[in-house]
Amino acid sequence: MSFNLKRVLFGKFCSLFAASLFTFVAGLTVLRETSSGFQFALVLLAGSVPRILLSPVAGVLADRWNRKRIIVMTESLSALVLLGLLLYSLQAPLHTVHYIIASVLLTSLSTFLSVTLSSSLPRLVQEEELQRGNALFSTIQSTSTITAPLVAGLLIATVSITQFLILPFLLFASAAWWNSRLRFLAVDTSPLVTTDTPSFISEFKEGYRYLFRQPVLTTLVLMAIVLNFFFVAFEILLPIILLDRLQFTPFRFGLVESALGAGLLVASLLLALPRFTVKRPLRTIFESLFLIASCYALPALALLGYVPSALLLPFFMILLFIDGMLALRMNIPLQLIVQKQTDPAYLGRVIGVLESIAMAMMPIGTLLFGLLSDHVSIIVLLGVGTVGLFGAASFGFLRLRKDILSESIPVADAKNTSSLTS
């Protein structure tokens, strides 16, 4: 593994771990203090709306500006946000509005970081390391998903929120330092805007047109709009099921959340090996998606009393572990499809537009399911989500069935991005 890849992986882990710690504690604190699914949804909404609005902007800037500077600046500013929240907590208690403001700021910065890093990876590693780099990126994300809920669940029960905020602040500062040592293999040819540089709007439109000239990507984007509407519903409903309906402790809830990360980790490690290279990416994506849809309704079994109380923890841990493996088995082919088929000059804009469009329905889903969870049976909502996922998957499969049946390209030649299913 190259030193450059090691640096970017260390930096990504510090950043993801810090963000995961804060997100877990913010959502858990609001849900425990208010017992309101709607207020919990507002915190999650603060973590999605900025990404939708800013992803296209981040894509254009990633293609225009020095990418290393963007990466280091976003990590540094994230550290300052946590430092500001920490200092405020010394003067007064934190409330839901403070968590929402901090989530908006951190998500906004994370959007610029994520788009820039994804579009920079082909310039940070050799082509033969690209698939491995994507898999290891997912490994880092999985590791943070496993450890962050456990660490946060333990810390929140033993230290004050002020003391807790010190850890994510130091992690963001460490990420900025690691990323400052990155060395691009090719010269970053998009430093500063000159008088000959096309306008921001024209560059955005050009990236938009480039994306929708790709039929496969167009179908996947349309499908992902619906998928993410129901995926976010599961993010809303699962904590309510476990913490409110089944009365899980924060630590037990952390164990369940960590199982999702464990599934992501195992899948990413397997996909980093040559023998597990996906040879039919579209087929793999749809197989995984139909299986995820099948798992969506299973929590209803616990609510209906078909799962003994002694088996609730292993039941949900196994379920989330399987979901994690399937999610990564779907996302890695998507990432590679974009990174390899997209012209490098358009890569930042394409990734930015993909993230924005694919997440367009998430705020509506977050608000709707958060509000409905206070008034409608959770079992009914799980049933609606299951039907929605199967419907979206069937739509995409029917539109791409010829491509799927004729597919013979190895995953190394496929290219699309995880932002489609965030």
Side-chain angles (χ1 to χ4, degrees):
M1 186 190 303
S2 66
F3 284 108
N4 221 29
L5 184 55
K6 290 179 182 178
R7 292 185 188 114
V8 75
L9 289 175
F10 276 121
K12 188 173 179 68
F13 175 75
C14 291
S15 181
L16 283 173
F17 190 63
S20 298
L21 284 174
F22 179 79
T23 300
F24 183 88
V25 169
L28 178 62
T29 302
V30 170
L31 188 59
R32 291 177 67 191
E33 290 182 354
T34 66
S35 295
S36 169
F38 182 68
Q39 291 199 41
F40 175 67
L42 287 178
V43 176
L44 293 184
L45 192 64
S48 61
V49 171
R51 189 175 297 276
I52 296 168
L53 298 176
L54 296 176
S55 288
V57 179
V60 174
L61 294 182
D63 287 339
R64 288 163 66 106
W65 291 0
N66 184 289
R67 289 174 179 171
K68 181 178 177 179
R69 290 181 186 176
I70 296 175
I71 293 169
V72 175
M73 185 182 301
T74 52
E75 298 284 28
S76 301
L77 290 175
S78 296
L80 290 177
V81 169
L82 266 297
L83 180 61
L85 194 64
L86 190 158
L87 294 176
Y88 181 87
S89 68
L90 293 172
Q91 309 298 322
L94 298 177
H95 300 293
T96 300
V97 64
H98 302 122
Y99 291 113
I100 290 176
I101 293 172
S103 295
V104 168
L105 293 174
L106 291 174
T107 302
S108 299
L109 293 167
S110 173
T111 300
F112 287 91
L113 174 66
S114 174
V115 172
T116 306
L117 264 181
S118 296
S119 58
S120 298
L121 192 58
R123 293 184 178 181
L124 290 170
V125 300
Q126 300 290 346
E127 184 173 351
E128 58 270 19
E129 270 196 312
L130 188 56
Q131 180 179 343
R132 188 184 187 193
N134 279 295
L136 290 175
F137 261 33
S138 297
T139 301
I140 293 297
Q141 184 171 356
S142 307
T143 303
S144 67
T145 305
I146 296 170
T147 54
L150 292 175
V151 173
L154 289 172
L155 288 179
I156 202 63
T158 56
V159 302
S160 67
I161 189 64
T162 301
Q163 293 170 318
F164 168 81
L165 290 172
I166 296 173
L167 180 56
F169 160 69
L170 293 176
L171 286 168
F172 276 124
S174 299
W177 182 79
W178 278 109
N179 286 320
S180 69
R181 304 181 67 205
L182 291 177
R183 298 291 182 268
F184 279 73
L185 302 180
V187 177
D188 196 345
T189 56
S190 52
L192 298 175
V193 179
T194 68
T195 55
D196 297 325
T197 304
S199 70
F200 182 92
I201 298 298
S202 64
E203 286 201 54
F204 168 71
K205 290 180 178 179
E206 191 178 355
Y208 202 92
R209 288 192 294 266
Y210 180 91
L211 170 63
F212 282 95
R213 287 198 296 267
Q214 320 298 319
V216 172
L217 289 184
T218 301
T219 298
L220 291 175
V221 168
L222 294 174
M223 182 179 69
I225 291 173
V226 181
L227 290 176
N228 282 334
F229 177 80
F230 293 106
F231 281 150
V232 76
F234 193 77
E235 292 181 24
I236 294 288
L237 298 177
L238 184 64
I240 296 173
I241 292 170
L242 297 179
L243 294 169
D244 192 50
R245 302 296 194 272
L246 300 178
Q247 297 295 304
F248 272 41
T249 65
F251 180 69
R252 281 162 63 90
F253 176 59
L255 286 174
V256 173
E257 290 281 289
S258 296
L260 175 67
L264 292 167
L265 177 61
V266 171
S268 63
L269 290 173
L270 291 176
L271 289 170
L273 301 175
R275 65 175 298 184
F276 289 103
T277 296
V278 181
K279 297 179 179 178
R280 295 186 174 92
L282 283 174
R283 180 176 177 179
T284 301
I285 289 168
F286 282 97
E287 286 177 351
S288 302
L289 183 53
F290 279 115
L291 289 172
I292 289 174
S294 301
C295 293
Y296 196 102
L298 294 181
L301 297 177
L303 292 173
L304 291 170
Y306 292 116
V307 181
S309 57
L311 298 179
L312 284 174
L313 180 60
F315 171 79
F316 279 100
M317 289 184 70
I318 292 171
L319 177 61
L320 269 290
F321 179 84
I322 294 172
D323 280 345
M325 291 195 69
L326 292 173
L328 199 71
R329 188 171 180 261
M330 176 175 59
N331 280 338
I332 289 295
L334 288 172
Q335 292 170 350
L336 290 171
I337 290 172
V338 167
Q339 289 173 343
K340 287 208 169 235
Q341 284 186 351
T342 305
D343 185 331
Y346 291 90
L347 190 53
R349 280 166 285 177
V350 167
I351 291 176
V353 172
L354 282 172
E355 287 203 4
S356 179
I357 295 176
M359 296 178 65
M361 293 296 289
M362 290 184 70
I364 299 174
T366 300
L367 285 175
L368 179 61
F369 281 94
L371 184 62
L372 290 176
S373 67
D374 291 335
H375 306 286
V376 180
S377 167
I378 298 296
I379 295 174
V380 172
L381 296 179
L382 288 173
V384 171
T386 302
V387 173
L389 289 180
F390 272 112
S394 300
F395 162 80
F397 181 82
L398 291 174
R399 281 185 59 121
L400 297 177
R401 61 187 182 279
K402 292 182 179 179
D403 299 272
I404 295 170
L405 293 174
S406 63
E407 198 172 43
S408 60
I409 323 172
V411 107
D413 292 337
K415 316 149 186 162
N416 205 344
T417 187
S418 61
S419 62
L420 290 174
T421 54
S422 57

